[in-house]
Amino acid sequence: MKNGSERFALVTGGGGFIGSHLCDRLIADGVRVVCVDSFRTGRRSNLAHLEGNPAFRLVEHDVIDELPAELKRLRFTRIYHLACPASPPHYQEDPEHTMMTNVVGTRNMLRLAESVGARLLLTSTSEVYGDPEVHPQNEDYRGWVNCTGPRACYDEGKRAAETLAFDFRRAGRADVRIARLFNTYGPRMHEDDGRVVSNVVCQALAGDDITIYGDGSQTRSFCYVEDIVDGLLQLMESEKADGVPVNLGNPDEMTVKALVDLVVEMTGTASRVVLRPLPQDDPRRRKPDIGRARDLLGWEPTIDVRDGLARTIAWFSSAEAPGWGTAAATGTDGALIQAAE
């Protein structure tokens, strides 16, 4: 793959839910893309349609490990660093690896950005706010995180990743942008990732019991993946957003129960709703203040939740969605903990 003055991007975690959509958009915009993914949680099927595209190259690699020498020689202009399991069942499966992905993996990408002169965008998370004491959450809020709990490998890992990125910037070693992603949903989500949208949609389509953890009054703000990708692209190219984290998410807050009612209505399912205990450290309220994104990027979501859910339900109903029916039918019991990404 040649590169010169053209736009040339590295996307870590490009086989994942958000990462694969980002690869699609970059290529559609005329950018050459190298995708690096270990496929611990990403899927090759998310990228199968890009096979043979001369603007795309896939490298199976774990960002914790030293980057292959051949990639170090490529003159990337942009690095989108998305690599990290993003849902509680996935990041808690190997918490040490999750922490190292956030710390060592981010350091490796920052060093690459420094050596080739690329701008790096780190996808952080609303989980840096923990179970927030202020509502909605803006970027100046320092959070309420349980640093020893089961979610800390991800929450504190992302906080450490932000620290590294800003330290590199302060030292003049790298040009960085930080996105704090809130609840995102859409096609290519894992059917068993424990996120409320994928759980509820799959259970409804299969006719299984729909599980609500807690009484369903906890809130989330669901942003469709297409809007998130738009925000990432705008943030990467923004000069105004240098040196500050930026929330990306949908400020339209709704309860988990309201989401379940909407999915039941849209699918016509006969599924029953079953209540279960709320998991430890699950945030009770989550809503982004996106004033900074509006001011600096001119960005805000454009796809409402009904439209986004219709597209998501259609995807899970299609042959493109790998294996969700099997997971639902066998009683996969992922808690309805809507992770940030």
Side-chain angles (χ1 to χ4, degrees):
M1 179 178 283
K2 298 178 181 179
N3 68 305
S5 60
E6 62 191 340
R7 293 180 296 165
F8 194 23
L10 173 65
V11 179
T12 72
F17 160 46
I18 298 177
S20 60
H21 286 281
L22 176 61
C23 288
D24 286 346
R25 272 293 302 276
L26 288 168
I27 290 172
D29 290 346
V31 181
R32 287 184 175 271
V33 174
V34 171
C35 165
V36 170
D37 202 301
S38 67
F39 295 106
R40 290 175 71 98
T41 57
R43 283 174 165 157
R44 292 182 181 277
S45 59
N46 289 342
L47 302 169
H49 60 287
L50 296 176
E51 290 180 7
N53 189 319
F56 179 76
R57 179 179 176 183
L58 173 61
V59 176
E60 185 171 353
H61 182 78
D62 193 320
V63 296
I64 290 177
D65 301 325
E66 185 175 353
L67 200 65
E70 59 177 318
L71 293 187
K72 289 183 179 181
R73 292 192 292 267
L74 297 176
R75 306 301 296 181
F76 296 109
T77 57
R78 298 289 186 264
I79 297 173
Y80 294 85
H81 182 35
L82 283 74
C84 187
S87 67
H90 291 166
Y91 66 64
Q92 291 174 10
E93 183 177 350
D94 188 344
E96 178 187 3
H97 190 272
T98 297
M99 179 63 80
M100 293 302 100
T101 299
N102 282 314
V103 178
V104 177
T106 298
R107 183 191 62 180
N108 288 343
M109 291 305 110
L110 285 165
R111 287 179 171 178
L112 177 64
E114 178 184 19
S115 67
V116 301
R119 176 177 293 176
L120 180 143
L121 185 149
L122 169 69
T123 54
S124 186
T125 172
S126 61
E127 302 294 340
V128 300
Y129 301 125
D131 188 3
E133 300 170 295
V134 301
H135 193 78
Q137 295 83 54
N138 65 33
E139 294 88 349
D140 293 329
Y141 176 54
R142 297 183 179 181
W144 182 252
V145 175
N146 178 358
C147 65
T148 61
R151 301 167 69 104
C153 59
Y154 184 72
D155 302 2
E156 295 288 13
K158 287 292 188 180
R159 288 161 72 100
E162 287 195 23
T163 299
L164 274 171
F166 282 117
D167 282 341
F168 267 69
R169 178 188 174 275
R170 276 187 286 268
R173 298 177 62 184
D175 182 13
V176 301
R177 301 292 182 271
I178 307 293
R180 290 179 179 167
L181 304 186
F182 281 68
N183 310 81
T184 307
Y185 71 100
R188 302 180 190 166
M189 298 178 77
H190 269 272
E191 71 284 345
D192 60 351
D193 61 9
R195 304 186 195 203
V196 64
V197 171
S198 51
N199 271 22
V200 172
V201 169
C202 289
Q203 289 169 341
L205 290 174
D208 293 342
D209 289 347
I210 296 175
T211 46
I212 290 180
Y213 287 76
D215 60 6
S217 63
Q218 65 270 36
T219 67
R220 298 293 185 267
S221 304
F222 302 104
C223 193
Y224 190 67
V225 64
E226 185 177 305
D227 282 325
I228 287 293
V229 169
D230 285 341
L232 292 175
L233 294 173
Q234 292 179 45
L235 176 57
M236 176 64 94
E237 302 308 321
S238 172
E239 301 303 327
K240 295 180 180 178
D242 180 25
V244 292
V246 178
N247 287 340
L248 296 177
N250 192 333
D252 292 336
E253 182 182 14
M254 67 188 305
T255 65
V256 168
K257 184 179 184 305
L259 175 81
V260 170
D261 291 343
L262 185 56
V263 170
V264 168
E265 173 201 329
M266 294 178 70
T267 59
T269 185
S271 297
R272 299 181 310 143
V273 175
V274 177
L275 302 182
R276 301 278 180 82
L278 195 67
Q280 181 180 345
D281 298 330
D282 188 45
R284 300 304 179 104
R285 300 189 73 185
R286 182 60 60 74
K287 174 182 176 178
D289 179 332
I290 62 168
R292 182 173 291 175
R294 287 190 177 111
D295 292 344
L296 300 184
L297 311 179
W299 176 89
E300 60 184 332
T302 61
I303 299 170
D304 67 33
V305 68
R306 182 176 285 272
D307 185 11
L309 280 175
R311 301 184 198 187
T312 305
I313 290 167
W315 184 80
F316 274 114
S317 301
S318 73
E320 294 181 69
W324 74 262
T326 302
T330 55
T332 298
D333 187 25
L336 297 188
I337 312 168
Q338 175 64 23
E341 297 94 85

